[in-house]
Amino acid sequence: MSNSMELKFKASISNELLARQALIAFISPLNPTVDEIGEYKTIISEAVSNAIIHGYRFDASKDVFIKATIFEDEVEIIVRDYGVGIKNLEEAKTPHFSSRPDLERAGMGLTIIETLSDSFSISSVEGLGVKLIIRKKYSLSKENDEQRV
């Protein structure tokens, strides 16, 4: 059995907090550890900020879409934008690459997402947007109850 939620919001950087809080509230029945919460927050923050900054170039009239699904042993997070897309996926996944060198960004967003997730795929069509599919396993073990929130 699975549970899912979908969220659509304007591509305003202030909505990154909304995305983080919504995802954490959604997965809270899994009783995640503090470390797991931090990883999920980082993943969603990086994915959403990439959509806003790179996909839509801060055009707050556009929408970012998130779908999260809890499966038996993992959470799947899909973040989608209908912005400019990515010209070269391999280049975009290179650490320190940024499509916005005019901004003081580290160019590590996709690398961070890939590092923190168990499975990560990205698809893009230039001019039509980007879709990230991120999967992260969770543990329902009672061993770490003292670390859980």
Side-chain angles (χ1 to χ4, degrees):
M1 184 168 141
S2 66
N3 186 21
S4 66
M5 68 109 183
E6 294 185 48
L7 182 63
K8 175 179 99 169
F9 52 88
K10 293 297 177 190
S12 168
I13 205 70
S14 63
N15 284 333
E16 182 186 331
L17 176 62
L18 168 66
R20 277 196 315 260
Q21 291 178 330
L23 179 65
I24 298 309
F26 177 67
I27 67 166
S28 66
L30 302 176
N31 200 21
T33 65
V34 173
D35 288 344
E36 288 170 331
I37 289 172
E39 290 174 359
Y40 281 107
K41 282 182 176 180
T42 300
I43 287 168
I44 198 69
S45 292
E46 293 294 339
V48 167
S49 63
N50 277 349
I52 294 167
I53 295 166
H54 302 287
Y56 290 132
R57 303 195 177 267
F58 296 102
D59 182 351
S61 71
K62 306 292 185 183
D63 294 317
V64 177
F65 300 84
I66 296 173
K67 180 178 181 181
T69 306
I70 298 171
F71 292 103
E72 187 175 314
D73 66 344
E74 68 184 358
V75 176
E76 178 185 74
I77 304 163
I78 298 173
V79 179
R80 181 172 197 95
D81 70 68
Y82 293 93
V84 300
I86 297 173
K87 189 176 200 171
N88 182 328
L89 285 175
E90 287 310 308
E91 183 179 47
K93 289 167 44 176
T94 303
H96 305 293
F97 172 80
S98 177
S99 69
R100 295 296 307 264
D102 55 314
L103 302 175
E104 293 188 18
R105 308 292 294 183
M108 293 295 292
L110 296 177
T111 303
I112 291 168
I113 293 168
E114 190 167 27
T115 300
L116 294 177
S117 64
D118 292 303
S119 168
F120 171 63
S121 68
I122 181 169
S123 57
S124 178
V125 174
E126 202 172 354
L128 296 178
V130 175
K131 179 180 180 182
L132 302 178
I133 302 175
I134 304 147
R135 288 178 170 257
K136 183 160 182 61
K137 294 194 180 305
Y138 61 86
S139 168
L140 292 175
S141 168
K142 298 295 180 194
E143 297 170 6
N144 295 326
D145 276 347
E146 66 277 356
Q147 294 177 20
R148 298 193 185 274
V149 225

PDB file of all heavy atoms in Angstrom, residues 19-52:
ATOM      1  N   ALA A  19       7.740  23.903   0.559  1.00  0.00           N
ATOM      2  CA  ALA A  19       8.024  22.569   0.025  1.00  0.00           C
ATOM      3  C   ALA A  19       8.676  21.689   1.087  1.00  0.00           C
ATOM      4  O   ALA A  19       8.294  20.530   1.263  1.00  0.00           O
ATOM      5  CB  ALA A  19       8.921  22.679  -1.203  1.00  0.00           C
ATOM      6  N   ARG A  20       9.652  22.241   1.824  1.00  0.00           N
ATOM      7  CA  ARG A  20      10.327  21.477   2.881  1.00  0.00           C
ATOM      8  C   ARG A  20       9.343  21.059   3.958  1.00  0.00           C
ATOM      9  O   ARG A  20       9.308  19.908   4.378  1.00  0.00           O
ATOM     10  CB  ARG A  20      11.445  22.318   3.532  1.00  0.00           C
ATOM     11  CG  ARG A  20      12.730  22.317   2.785  1.00  0.00           C
ATOM     12  CD  ARG A  20      13.882  22.821   3.633  1.00  0.00           C
ATOM     13  NE  ARG A  20      13.612  24.012   4.410  1.00  0.00           N
ATOM     14  CZ  ARG A  20      13.969  25.244   4.083  1.00  0.00           C
ATOM     15  NH1 ARG A  20      14.622  25.471   2.969  1.00  0.00           N
ATOM     16  NH2 ARG A  20      13.697  26.259   4.860  1.00  0.00           N
ATOM     17  N   GLN A  21       8.551  22.009   4.435  1.00  0.00           N
ATOM     18  CA  GLN A  21       7.621  21.708   5.521  1.00  0.00           C
ATOM     19  C   GLN A  21       6.544  20.718   5.090  1.00  0.00           C
ATOM     20  O   GLN A  21       6.167  19.841   5.860  1.00  0.00           O
ATOM     21  CB  GLN A  21       7.003  23.001   6.061  1.00  0.00           C
ATOM     22  CG  GLN A  21       8.019  23.848   6.804  1.00  0.00           C
ATOM     23  CD  GLN A  21       7.435  25.153   7.298  1.00  0.00           C
ATOM     24  OE1 GLN A  21       6.522  25.714   6.705  1.00  0.00           O
ATOM     25  NE2 GLN A  21       7.983  25.654   8.393  1.00  0.00           N
ATOM     26  N   ALA A  22       6.050  20.862   3.874  1.00  0.00           N
ATOM     27  CA  ALA A  22       5.018  19.938   3.381  1.00  0.00           C
ATOM     28  C   ALA A  22       5.563  18.518   3.285  1.00  0.00           C
ATOM     29  O   ALA A  22       4.896  17.565   3.715  1.00  0.00           O
ATOM     30  CB  ALA A  22       4.503  20.404   2.019  1.00  0.00           C
ATOM     31  N   LEU A  23       6.775  18.375   2.751  1.00  0.00           N
ATOM     32  CA  LEU A  23       7.354  17.034   2.625  1.00  0.00           C
ATOM     33  C   LEU A  23       7.593  16.411   3.999  1.00  0.00           C
ATOM     34  O   LEU A  23       7.245  15.251   4.223  1.00  0.00           O
ATOM     35  CB  LEU A  23       8.663  17.070   1.834  1.00  0.00           C
ATOM     36  CG  LEU A  23       9.332  15.699   1.682  1.00  0.00           C
ATOM     37  CD1 LEU A  23       8.474  14.760   0.839  1.00  0.00           C
ATOM     38  CD2 LEU A  23      10.724  15.846   1.091  1.00  0.00           C
ATOM     39  N   ILE A  24       8.136  17.172   4.923  1.00  0.00           N
ATOM     40  CA  ILE A  24       8.418  16.638   6.258  1.00  0.00           C
ATOM     41  C   ILE A  24       7.117  16.273   6.978  1.00  0.00           C
ATOM     42  O   ILE A  24       7.029  15.235   7.631  1.00  0.00           O
ATOM     43  CB  ILE A  24       9.275  17.614   7.090  1.00  0.00           C
ATOM     44  CG1 ILE A  24      10.644  17.814   6.400  1.00  0.00           C
ATOM     45  CG2 ILE A  24       9.453  17.126   8.516  1.00  0.00           C
ATOM     46  CD1 ILE A  24      11.391  16.537   6.029  1.00  0.00           C
ATOM     47  N   ALA A  25       6.095  17.103   6.842  1.00  0.00           N
ATOM     48  CA  ALA A  25       4.800  16.771   7.450  1.00  0.00           C
ATOM     49  C   ALA A  25       4.237  15.488   6.840  1.00  0.00           C
ATOM     50  O   ALA A  25       3.701  14.633   7.547  1.00  0.00           O
ATOM     51  CB  ALA A  25       3.815  17.924   7.259  1.00  0.00           C
ATOM     52  N   PHE A  26       4.388  15.337   5.525  1.00  0.00           N
ATOM     53  CA  PHE A  26       3.870  14.159   4.831  1.00  0.00           C
ATOM     54  C   PHE A  26       4.559  12.876   5.290  1.00  0.00           C
ATOM     55  O   PHE A  26       3.907  11.846   5.481  1.00  0.00           O
ATOM     56  CB  PHE A  26       4.020  14.339   3.317  1.00  0.00           C
ATOM     57  CG  PHE A  26       3.575  13.153   2.524  1.00  0.00           C
ATOM     58  CD1 PHE A  26       2.234  12.773   2.494  1.00  0.00           C
ATOM     59  CD2 PHE A  26       4.490  12.401   1.802  1.00  0.00           C
ATOM     60  CE1 PHE A  26       1.825  11.666   1.751  1.00  0.00           C
ATOM     61  CE2 PHE A  26       4.086  11.296   1.065  1.00  0.00           C
ATOM     62  CZ  PHE A  26       2.759  10.934   1.039  1.00  0.00           C
ATOM     63  N   ILE A  27       5.884  12.923   5.483  1.00  0.00           N
ATOM     64  CA  ILE A  27       6.613  11.704   5.874  1.00  0.00           C
ATOM     65  C   ILE A  27       6.667  11.505   7.387  1.00  0.00           C
ATOM     66  O   ILE A  27       7.166  10.476   7.848  1.00  0.00           O
ATOM     67  CB  ILE A  27       8.041  11.658   5.289  1.00  0.00           C
ATOM     68  CG1 ILE A  27       8.927  12.743   5.892  1.00  0.00           C
ATOM     69  CG2 ILE A  27       8.009  11.697   3.768  1.00  0.00           C
ATOM     70  CD1 ILE A  27      10.409  12.567   5.619  1.00  0.00           C
ATOM     71  N   SER A  28       6.144  12.423   8.167  1.00  0.00           N
ATOM     72  CA  SER A  28       6.239  12.306   9.633  1.00  0.00           C
ATOM     73  C   SER A  28       5.646  11.008  10.193  1.00  0.00           C
ATOM     74  O   SER A  28       6.165  10.499  11.187  1.00  0.00           O
ATOM     75  CB  SER A  28       5.647  13.526  10.333  1.00  0.00           C
ATOM     76  OG  SER A  28       4.272  13.607  10.110  1.00  0.00           O
ATOM     77  N   PRO A  29       4.605  10.408   9.594  1.00  0.00           N
ATOM     78  CA  PRO A  29       4.128   9.118  10.125  1.00  0.00           C
ATOM     79  C   PRO A  29       5.177   8.000  10.050  1.00  0.00           C
ATOM     80  O   PRO A  29       5.042   6.987  10.725  1.00  0.00           O
ATOM     81  CB  PRO A  29       2.918   8.787   9.243  1.00  0.00           C
ATOM     82  CG  PRO A  29       2.437  10.105   8.745  1.00  0.00           C
ATOM     83  CD  PRO A  29       3.687  10.922   8.566  1.00  0.00           C
ATOM     84  N   LEU A  30       6.234   8.202   9.248  1.00  0.00           N
ATOM     85  CA  LEU A  30       7.313   7.216   9.155  1.00  0.00           C
ATOM     86  C   LEU A  30       8.252   7.305  10.354  1.00  0.00           C
ATOM     87  O   LEU A  30       9.143   6.478  10.497  1.00  0.00           O
ATOM     88  CB  LEU A  30       8.117   7.417   7.863  1.00  0.00           C
ATOM     89  CG  LEU A  30       7.331   7.327   6.561  1.00  0.00           C
ATOM     90  CD1 LEU A  30       8.237   7.653   5.379  1.00  0.00           C
ATOM     91  CD2 LEU A  30       6.702   5.953   6.403  1.00  0.00           C
ATOM     92  N   ASN A  31       8.040   8.323  11.185  1.00  0.00           N
ATOM     93  CA  ASN A  31       8.863   8.529  12.370  1.00  0.00           C
ATOM     94  C   ASN A  31      10.350   8.649  11.999  1.00  0.00           C
ATOM     95  O   ASN A  31      11.184   7.913  12.513  1.00  0.00           O
ATOM     96  CB  ASN A  31       8.631   7.385  13.366  1.00  0.00           C
ATOM     97  CG  ASN A  31       9.047   7.755  14.769  1.00  0.00           C
ATOM     98  OD1 ASN A  31       9.141   8.929  15.110  1.00  0.00           O
ATOM     99  ND2 ASN A  31       9.323   6.749  15.586  1.00  0.00           N
ATOM    100  N   PRO A  32      10.688   9.601  11.095  1.00  0.00           N
ATOM    101  CA  PRO A  32      12.074   9.711  10.638  1.00  0.00           C
ATOM    102  C   PRO A  32      13.004  10.222  11.742  1.00  0.00           C
ATOM    103  O   PRO A  32      12.578  10.948  12.637  1.00  0.00           O
ATOM    104  CB  PRO A  32      11.985  10.734   9.499  1.00  0.00           C
ATOM    105  CG  PRO A  32      10.773  11.543   9.825  1.00  0.00           C
ATOM    106  CD  PRO A  32       9.813  10.595  10.496  1.00  0.00           C
ATOM    107  N   THR A  33      14.281   9.844  11.622  1.00  0.00           N
ATOM    108  CA  THR A  33      15.285  10.349  12.562  1.00  0.00           C
ATOM    109  C   THR A  33      15.593  11.802  12.208  1.00  0.00           C
ATOM    110  O   THR A  33      15.250  12.281  11.121  1.00  0.00           O
ATOM    111  CB  THR A  33      16.586   9.529  12.490  1.00  0.00           C
ATOM    112  OG1 THR A  33      17.173   9.721  11.197  1.00  0.00           O
ATOM    113  CG2 THR A  33      16.341   8.051  12.760  1.00  0.00           C
ATOM    114  N   VAL A  34      16.270  12.471  13.092  1.00  0.00           N
ATOM    115  CA  VAL A  34      16.689  13.856  12.846  1.00  0.00           C
ATOM    116  C   VAL A  34      17.573  13.911  11.597  1.00  0.00           C
ATOM    117  O   VAL A  34      17.425  14.805  10.762  1.00  0.00           O
ATOM    118  CB  VAL A  34      17.420  14.426  14.085  1.00  0.00           C
ATOM    119  CG1 VAL A  34      18.016  15.785  13.787  1.00  0.00           C
ATOM    120  CG2 VAL A  34      16.468  14.505  15.274  1.00  0.00           C
ATOM    121  N   ASP A  35      18.480  12.941  11.458  1.00  0.00           N
ATOM    122  CA  ASP A  35      19.345  12.900  10.275  1.00  0.00           C
ATOM    123  C   ASP A  35      18.533  12.703   9.000  1.00  0.00           C
ATOM    124  O   ASP A  35      18.792  13.353   7.978  1.00  0.00           O
ATOM    125  CB  ASP A  35      20.383  11.773  10.393  1.00  0.00           C
ATOM    126  CG  ASP A  35      21.468  12.078  11.410  1.00  0.00           C
ATOM    127  OD1 ASP A  35      21.609  13.255  11.812  1.00  0.00           O
ATOM    128  OD2 ASP A  35      22.170  11.132  11.812  1.00  0.00           O
ATOM    129  N   GLU A  36      17.551  11.809   9.029  1.00  0.00           N
ATOM    130  CA  GLU A  36      16.706  11.576   7.850  1.00  0.00           C
ATOM    131  C   GLU A  36      15.935  12.847   7.487  1.00  0.00           C
ATOM    132  O   GLU A  36      15.848  13.206   6.305  1.00  0.00           O
ATOM    133  CB  GLU A  36      15.732  10.425   8.101  1.00  0.00           C
ATOM    134  CG  GLU A  36      16.394   9.071   8.124  1.00  0.00           C
ATOM    135  CD  GLU A  36      15.486   7.947   8.610  1.00  0.00           C
ATOM    136  OE1 GLU A  36      14.564   8.201   9.422  1.00  0.00           O
ATOM    137  OE2 GLU A  36      15.716   6.815   8.179  1.00  0.00           O
ATOM    138  N   ILE A  37      15.405  13.533   8.476  1.00  0.00           N
ATOM    139  CA  ILE A  37      14.679  14.781   8.219  1.00  0.00           C
ATOM    140  C   ILE A  37      15.596  15.778   7.523  1.00  0.00           C
ATOM    141  O   ILE A  37      15.217  16.417   6.543  1.00  0.00           O
ATOM    142  CB  ILE A  37      14.095  15.370   9.525  1.00  0.00           C
ATOM    143  CG1 ILE A  37      12.943  14.505  10.004  1.00  0.00           C
ATOM    144  CG2 ILE A  37      13.646  16.818   9.313  1.00  0.00           C
ATOM    145  CD1 ILE A  37      12.417  14.884  11.373  1.00  0.00           C
ATOM    146  N   GLY A  38      16.818  15.897   8.027  1.00  0.00           N
ATOM    147  CA  GLY A  38      17.779  16.811   7.421  1.00  0.00           C
ATOM    148  C   GLY A  38      18.068  16.468   5.970  1.00  0.00           C
ATOM    149  O   GLY A  38      18.156  17.357   5.104  1.00  0.00           O
ATOM    150  N   GLU A  39      18.203  15.178   5.685  1.00  0.00           N
ATOM    151  CA  GLU A  39      18.469  14.753   4.308  1.00  0.00           C
ATOM    152  C   GLU A  39      17.287  15.032   3.393  1.00  0.00           C
ATOM    153  O   GLU A  39      17.461  15.529   2.275  1.00  0.00           O
ATOM    154  CB  GLU A  39      18.848  13.274   4.284  1.00  0.00           C
ATOM    155  CG  GLU A  39      20.210  13.020   4.902  1.00  0.00           C
ATOM    156  CD  GLU A  39      20.573  11.549   5.030  1.00  0.00           C
ATOM    157  OE1 GLU A  39      19.755  10.676   4.653  1.00  0.00           O
ATOM    158  OE2 GLU A  39      21.691  11.275   5.505  1.00  0.00           O
ATOM    159  N   TYR A  40      16.076  14.722   3.843  1.00  0.00           N
ATOM    160  CA  TYR A  40      14.894  15.019   3.025  1.00  0.00           C
ATOM    161  C   TYR A  40      14.743  16.518   2.795  1.00  0.00           C
ATOM    162  O   TYR A  40      14.411  16.957   1.690  1.00  0.00           O
ATOM    163  CB  TYR A  40      13.619  14.456   3.672  1.00  0.00           C
ATOM    164  CG  TYR A  40      13.424  12.978   3.454  1.00  0.00           C
ATOM    165  CD1 TYR A  40      13.611  12.071   4.484  1.00  0.00           C
ATOM    166  CD2 TYR A  40      13.039  12.478   2.205  1.00  0.00           C
ATOM    167  CE1 TYR A  40      13.427  10.700   4.285  1.00  0.00           C
ATOM    168  CE2 TYR A  40      12.851  11.124   2.001  1.00  0.00           C
ATOM    169  CZ  TYR A  40      13.052  10.233   3.043  1.00  0.00           C
ATOM    170  OH  TYR A  40      12.868   8.893   2.834  1.00  0.00           O
ATOM    171  N   LYS A  41      14.984  17.330   3.820  1.00  0.00           N
ATOM    172  CA  LYS A  41      14.903  18.792   3.675  1.00  0.00           C
ATOM    173  C   LYS A  41      15.909  19.288   2.645  1.00  0.00           C
ATOM    174  O   LYS A  41      15.593  20.140   1.807  1.00  0.00           O
ATOM    175  CB  LYS A  41      15.170  19.487   5.011  1.00  0.00           C
ATOM    176  CG  LYS A  41      14.017  19.481   5.968  1.00  0.00           C
ATOM    177  CD  LYS A  41      14.415  20.248   7.224  1.00  0.00           C
ATOM    178  CE  LYS A  41      13.281  20.377   8.206  1.00  0.00           C
ATOM    179  NZ  LYS A  41      13.687  21.123   9.402  1.00  0.00           N
ATOM    180  N   THR A  42      17.123  18.761   2.711  1.00  0.00           N
ATOM    181  CA  THR A  42      18.162  19.184   1.774  1.00  0.00           C
ATOM    182  C   THR A  42      17.804  18.785   0.349  1.00  0.00           C
ATOM    183  O   THR A  42      17.915  19.599  -0.581  1.00  0.00           O
ATOM    184  CB  THR A  42      19.525  18.583   2.177  1.00  0.00           C
ATOM    185  OG1 THR A  42      19.847  19.033   3.496  1.00  0.00           O
ATOM    186  CG2 THR A  42      20.625  18.998   1.204  1.00  0.00           C
ATOM    187  N   ILE A  43      17.341  17.565   0.168  1.00  0.00           N
ATOM    188  CA  ILE A  43      16.959  17.080  -1.161  1.00  0.00           C
ATOM    189  C   ILE A  43      15.876  17.973  -1.763  1.00  0.00           C
ATOM    190  O   ILE A  43      15.999  18.444  -2.901  1.00  0.00           O
ATOM    191  CB  ILE A  43      16.480  15.613  -1.095  1.00  0.00           C
ATOM    192  CG1 ILE A  43      17.670  14.678  -0.874  1.00  0.00           C
ATOM    193  CG2 ILE A  43      15.703  15.225  -2.357  1.00  0.00           C
ATOM    194  CD1 ILE A  43      17.285  13.244  -0.519  1.00  0.00           C
ATOM    195  N   ILE A  44      14.810  18.224  -1.017  1.00  0.00           N
ATOM    196  CA  ILE A  44      13.701  18.997  -1.574  1.00  0.00           C
ATOM    197  C   ILE A  44      14.105  20.456  -1.786  1.00  0.00           C
ATOM    198  O   ILE A  44      13.721  21.076  -2.779  1.00  0.00           O
ATOM    199  CB  ILE A  44      12.410  18.851  -0.709  1.00  0.00           C
ATOM    200  CG1 ILE A  44      11.170  19.274  -1.512  1.00  0.00           C
ATOM    201  CG2 ILE A  44      12.495  19.631   0.573  1.00  0.00           C
ATOM    202  CD1 ILE A  44      10.802  18.355  -2.631  1.00  0.00           C
ATOM    203  N   SER A  45      14.912  20.994  -0.894  1.00  0.00           N
ATOM    204  CA  SER A  45      15.380  22.380  -1.054  1.00  0.00           C
ATOM    205  C   SER A  45      16.204  22.545  -2.320  1.00  0.00           C
ATOM    206  O   SER A  45      16.014  23.507  -3.072  1.00  0.00           O
ATOM    207  CB  SER A  45      16.219  22.814   0.152  1.00  0.00           C
ATOM    208  OG  SER A  45      15.423  22.921   1.290  1.00  0.00           O
ATOM    209  N   GLU A  46      17.127  21.621  -2.547  1.00  0.00           N
ATOM    210  CA  GLU A  46      17.969  21.697  -3.746  1.00  0.00           C
ATOM    211  C   GLU A  46      17.134  21.545  -5.016  1.00  0.00           C
ATOM    212  O   GLU A  46      17.316  22.283  -5.983  1.00  0.00           O
ATOM    213  CB  GLU A  46      19.074  20.639  -3.700  1.00  0.00           C
ATOM    214  CG  GLU A  46      20.101  20.856  -2.613  1.00  0.00           C
ATOM    215  CD  GLU A  46      20.945  22.103  -2.789  1.00  0.00           C
ATOM    216  OE1 GLU A  46      21.054  22.627  -3.925  1.00  0.00           O
ATOM    217  OE2 GLU A  46      21.505  22.580  -1.785  1.00  0.00           O
ATOM    218  N   ALA A  47      16.219  20.599  -5.019  1.00  0.00           N
ATOM    219  CA  ALA A  47      15.396  20.355  -6.209  1.00  0.00           C
ATOM    220  C   ALA A  47      14.496  21.549  -6.520  1.00  0.00           C
ATOM    221  O   ALA A  47      14.404  21.985  -7.672  1.00  0.00           O
ATOM    222  CB  ALA A  47      14.562  19.093  -6.016  1.00  0.00           C
ATOM    223  N   VAL A  48      13.857  22.085  -5.500  1.00  0.00           N
ATOM    224  CA  VAL A  48      12.944  23.217  -5.693  1.00  0.00           C
ATOM    225  C   VAL A  48      13.713  24.480  -6.083  1.00  0.00           C
ATOM    226  O   VAL A  48      13.310  25.204  -6.996  1.00  0.00           O
ATOM    227  CB  VAL A  48      12.083  23.445  -4.425  1.00  0.00           C
ATOM    228  CG1 VAL A  48      11.369  24.785  -4.470  1.00  0.00           C
ATOM    229  CG2 VAL A  48      11.082  22.307  -4.275  1.00  0.00           C
ATOM    230  N   SER A  49      14.823  24.743  -5.408  1.00  0.00           N
ATOM    231  CA  SER A  49      15.582  25.959  -5.748  1.00  0.00           C
ATOM    232  C   SER A  49      16.138  25.857  -7.170  1.00  0.00           C
ATOM    233  O   SER A  49      16.185  26.859  -7.887  1.00  0.00           O
ATOM    234  CB  SER A  49      16.678  26.251  -4.726  1.00  0.00           C
ATOM    235  OG  SER A  49      17.636  25.240  -4.685  1.00  0.00           O
ATOM    236  N   ASN A  50      16.535  24.653  -7.619  1.00  0.00           N
ATOM    237  CA  ASN A  50      16.979  24.501  -9.007  1.00  0.00           C
ATOM    238  C   ASN A  50      15.864  24.848  -9.980  1.00  0.00           C
ATOM    239  O   ASN A  50      16.095  25.515 -10.991  1.00  0.00           O
ATOM    240  CB  ASN A  50      17.463  23.075  -9.276  1.00  0.00           C
ATOM    241  CG  ASN A  50      18.888  22.846  -8.840  1.00  0.00           C
ATOM    242  OD1 ASN A  50      19.618  23.771  -8.521  1.00  0.00           O
ATOM    243  ND2 ASN A  50      19.288  21.592  -8.828  1.00  0.00           N
ATOM    244  N   ALA A  51      14.645  24.383  -9.701  1.00  0.00           N
ATOM    245  CA  ALA A  51      13.512  24.692 -10.582  1.00  0.00           C
ATOM    246  C   ALA A  51      13.268  26.197 -10.646  1.00  0.00           C
ATOM    247  O   ALA A  51      13.059  26.757 -11.729  1.00  0.00           O
ATOM    248  CB  ALA A  51      12.257  23.968 -10.093  1.00  0.00           C
ATOM    249  N   ILE A  52      13.319  26.855  -9.497  1.00  0.00           N
ATOM    250  CA  ILE A  52      13.037  28.288  -9.430  1.00  0.00           C
ATOM    251  C   ILE A  52      14.159  29.112 -10.072  1.00  0.00           C
ATOM    252  O   ILE A  52      13.905  29.993 -10.897  1.00  0.00           O
ATOM    253  CB  ILE A  52      12.815  28.718  -7.961  1.00  0.00           C
ATOM    254  CG1 ILE A  52      11.540  28.063  -7.421  1.00  0.00           C
ATOM    255  CG2 ILE A  52      12.761  30.237  -7.841  1.00  0.00           C
ATOM    256  CD1 ILE A  52      11.381  28.150  -5.912  1.00  0.00           C
TER     257      ILE A  52
END
